Amino acid sequence: MVEQTNTETLTGHACIQGYLRTLDSSPGVYRMLDAQARVLYVGKARNLKARVSNYARPSPQHSGRIARMISETASMMFLTTRTETEALLLEQNLIKQLKPRYNVLLRDDKSFPNIHVTNHAYPMIHKHRGAKKDKGAYYGPFASAGAVNRTLNQLQRVFLLRNCTDAMFDSRTRPCLLHQIKRCSAPCVGKISEKEYAESVRDAERFLSGKSTNIQETLAKEMAQASEEMEFERAAALRDRIRALTQVQTAQGINPRGVTEADVVALHLEKGQACVQVFFIRANQNWGNRDFYPRVGPDVEEAEVLEAFLGQFYDTKEPPRLILLSHAIENEDLMTEALSDKLGRKVEIAVPLRGEKSELLDGALRNARESLGRRMAETATQTKLLSGLAEAFDLDAPPQRIEVYDNSHIQGTNAVGAMIVAGPDGFLKSQYRKFNIRGEELTPGDDFGMMKEVLTRRFKRLLKEDPDRDKGLWPDLLLIDGGAGQVSAVREIMKEHGVEDVPMVGVAKGVDRDAGKEEFHRTGTRPFALRHNDPVLYFVQRLRDEAHRFAIGTHRAKRAKSQMANPLDEIAGVGGARKRALLAHFGSAKAVSRANLADLKAVDGVSEALAERIYAFFHEKG
């Protein structure tokens, strides 16, 4: 690859024309940058010179968005590639990395869960998310954790497969509750033979592969045979399994016979906003759907949005054999080649006009339209609330990023700080942050000290990562749980870091600490309250309650982890086997800590040197 830049100070068409002399007809990727070297747009081209020449002169075909982008362009960068397909992949990578203002951008990039059947004599079936490193069979993706959990719940009822860890499986001496409620065949204690359990696993995998009809027929024959042999209890159990299997298929809603494996991708554009609905069809079954809201401009076309979505969506995900689209894309051949190379087998992209595939798209398109309608209604309400907040707190403009801070601890132990973020799209949970309080000199329960540590760490990082405040990471408003004292303390902390222009408001409980009687504190003004039925007051309460919920949840998780911690894990040389031997011998870690040296040496697998190390560890700690 070859990279070129230009440092001349011209902008707009004149700037772009200056590059044409040095460009050739190679495929590649170009970046358009503004006067501050911020990336405005990333694009790919089969012929860089021909593509860039389209921007070098005014044209009535340029939309308002493209015209603005050209006028702001102060420099360009180029990367030549060997093929146009390589340019397409590089373009989508750069868009996800740089998040240019004028590109269509997929903001939600979560991984999707799968069902994992482990490689074990008695395989475990469970939900899996992330890299497929463990041995076994994987089935998916499912649209959400809820879709996986529903399927797993029904599969347990039908096939009675275990979902416990291998460690728990190995340690069982009697059946667990799942066996009692007929959700597990209890292979851990020999209630089912390895051969019979393997048959159940095989049936489950056949179901996940789309062969459920054959399974139902087999179960029906077994039920009839059990009835003839007067094994009525077994016949009833088989009947329940058939019903559960039917319920799984009914709950899935869409079970296309002619589509074995596909992603159904439908787009609805309206008033400068977009919703992409994706249905996951695997093994002739509907494994859930998910809606996405890519960032688009007011004048983009469906083809541009869908092509950008596909490139970014499948950048980190395995594509299916078939992708059904609601609208045609411009570079279908390139996208097909890129995805086929990624999958290692042929991927087909199609826009069906009739038949079952078209009906699938109609359903996805209807969902996209309804989802976008709901989101636009919610956004309108949120916009109104943010405007009301700006008026109530005398802000220059409605805030685009609100950060709310809270602390949680019990008498100073397991102290954590929490930050939640909200904006025009509601709560931005991907932006939430937790802070483990590290200050060793803090007095237990010192809320001022905890808040100082949290904000110091937060704004030090902001000043380092976004000193120019152009990445959308800086808050327009800080909400602090507390009154005038907290606001004054926070103001001093901000001054220490040279940040004095971020508005902040303290939210105090008010009279009798009742919800609805909150008082608001700002530096240099008297405390004030809002009308008890003011929607802005309810909005602030929701923000504060969400911060409180997040802080308490984080604190509880930290406390639970500390309570589960075993001091033996901290001793060098004490691995899993020796820890089990010590606990089996003494009964608990506390008993180990009280044991004398001779007793420690008597434990199987514990050498004299290790016994001395264990003894020294507990006695040096007092």
Side-chain angles (χ1 to χ4, degrees), residues 483-504:
Q486 279 88 344
V487 171
S488 179
V490 170
R491 178 63 67 192
E492 291 303 315
I493 295 167
M494 306 287 277
K495 281 184 180 178
E496 289 178 16
H497 298 287
V499 180
E500 300 186 41
D501 57 344
V502 176
M504 67 180 67

Side-chain angles (χ1 to χ4, degrees), residues 313-562:
F313 183 71
Y314 292 114
D315 181 50
T316 56
K317 300 174 182 67
E318 186 177 285
R321 295 174 184 269
L322 174 64
I323 300 173
L324 301 176
L325 299 181
S326 59
H327 302 81
I329 59 176
E330 184 178 347
N331 298 289
E332 182 181 313
D333 55 339
L334 280 180
M335 188 64 69
T336 299
E337 183 180 345
L339 296 181
S340 297
D341 289 345
K342 180 181 179 65
L343 187 60
R345 61 175 186 253
K346 183 172 177 55
V347 171
E348 180 186 355
I349 297 177
V351 184
L353 300 177
R354 62 183 65 86
E356 185 180 39
K357 295 175 183 177
S358 178
E359 291 173 5
L360 286 173
L361 270 169
D362 288 342
L365 197 55
R366 183 178 64 254
N367 274 272
R369 184 169 56 251
E370 292 172 355
S371 295
L372 185 59
R374 288 192 297 270
R375 184 179 175 88
M376 290 174 70
E378 292 168 1
T379 301
T381 302
Q382 189 79 355
T383 300
K384 189 174 181 180
L385 287 171
L386 292 174
S387 298
L389 197 66
E391 183 178 348
F393 295 155
D394 196 24
L395 306 178
D396 294 334
Q400 299 301 297
R401 182 184 175 96
I402 305 169
E403 293 185 357
V404 191
Y405 293 86
D406 197 5
N407 299 324
S408 184
H409 59 89
I410 294 179
Q411 296 181 342
T413 62
N414 299 303
V416 295
M419 176 191 84
I420 69 153
V421 182
D425 293 330
F427 291 116
L428 307 176
K429 296 194 175 183
S430 63
Q431 302 288 310
Y432 287 15
R433 295 293 181 267
K434 57 185 178 183
F435 302 83
N436 289 315
I437 304 299
R438 301 170 183 164
E440 297 180 358
E441 299 179 359
L442 287 176
T443 304
D446 180 4
D447 285 326
F448 284 112
M450 293 180 198
M451 187 61 68
K452 180 175 182 178
E453 179 179 331
V454 168
L455 288 169
T456 297
R457 285 162 57 185
R458 168 65 180 153
F459 281 91
K460 270 187 176 179
R461 184 160 188 162
L462 269 181
L463 289 166
K464 180 180 178 181
E465 294 184 350
D466 190 12
D468 298 326
R469 305 192 187 189
D470 58 2
K471 297 180 180 178
L473 302 177
W474 281 75
D476 303 310
L477 174 66
L478 295 184
L479 290 182
I480 309 295
D481 186 22
Q486 279 88 344
V487 171
S488 179
V490 170
R491 178 63 67 192
E492 291 303 315
I493 295 167
M494 306 287 277
K495 281 184 180 178
E496 289 178 16
H497 298 287
V499 180
E500 300 186 41
D501 57 344
V502 176
M504 67 180 67
V505 176
V507 184
K509 290 292 194 303
V511 181
D512 299 326
R513 302 181 65 83
D514 286 342
K517 298 182 180 180
E518 286 83 357
E519 287 186 343
F520 300 98
H521 297 260
R522 294 188 62 193
T523 304
T525 63
R526 294 173 61 86
F528 64 96
L530 297 174
R531 291 180 294 106
H532 74 278
N533 61 347
D534 192 330
V536 174
L537 176 60
Y538 296 142
F539 181 48
V540 173
Q541 288 172 350
R542 278 173 48 216
L543 293 172
R544 182 198 60 199
D545 292 346
E546 173 67 2
H548 196 51
R549 178 202 66 78
F550 184 58
I552 288 177
T554 304
H555 165 71
R556 285 175 177 166
K558 183 178 181 182
R559 191 175 78 230
K561 186 176 180 181
S562 68

Side-chain angles (χ1 to χ4, degrees), residues 52-95:
V52 173
S53 66
N54 290 334
Y55 297 120
R57 53 186 177 274
S59 170
Q61 295 181 347
H62 289 158
S63 65
R65 176 176 64 104
I66 298 301
R68 288 193 302 274
M69 178 184 75
I70 292 172
S71 68
E72 294 176 28
T73 300
S75 63
M76 294 185 73
M77 299 177 67
F78 303 91
L79 285 165
T80 58
T81 59
R82 290 172 298 175
T83 64
E84 191 180 0
T85 302
E86 191 177 316
L88 173 68
L89 296 173
L90 178 59
E91 174 199 33
Q92 299 306 329
N93 264 322
L94 288 173
I95 290 172

Side-chain angles (χ1 to χ4, degrees), residues 69 80 98 126 182 203 205 223 410 479 491 517 568:
M69 178 184 75
T80 58
L98 301 172
H126 68 118
K182 299 181 181 179
D203 284 344
E205 291 188 309
M223 183 179 69
I410 294 179
L479 290 182
R491 178 63 67 192
K517 298 182 180 180
L568 296 176

Side-chain angles (χ1 to χ4, degrees), residues 165-228:
T165 63
D166 290 349
M168 184 177 290
F169 177 84
D170 293 336
S171 65
R172 295 299 304 183
T173 57
R174 57 180 182 174
C176 67
L177 179 62
L178 286 175
H179 176 68
Q180 306 298 330
I181 62 174
K182 299 181 181 179
R183 296 294 177 90
C184 179
S185 54
C188 54
V189 292
K191 294 286 186 181
I192 185 174
S193 70
E194 185 174 339
K195 181 182 178 182
E196 291 174 317
Y197 190 84
E199 289 176 357
S200 295
V201 172
R202 188 162 53 250
D203 284 344
E205 291 188 309
R206 287 170 63 199
F207 169 79
L208 291 169
S209 300
K211 300 172 183 175
S212 56
T213 304
N214 295 338
I215 299 170
Q216 285 172 299
E217 291 174 356
T218 302
L219 291 175
K221 290 177 182 177
E222 290 180 12
M223 183 179 69
Q225 184 180 349
S227 297
E228 288 177 8

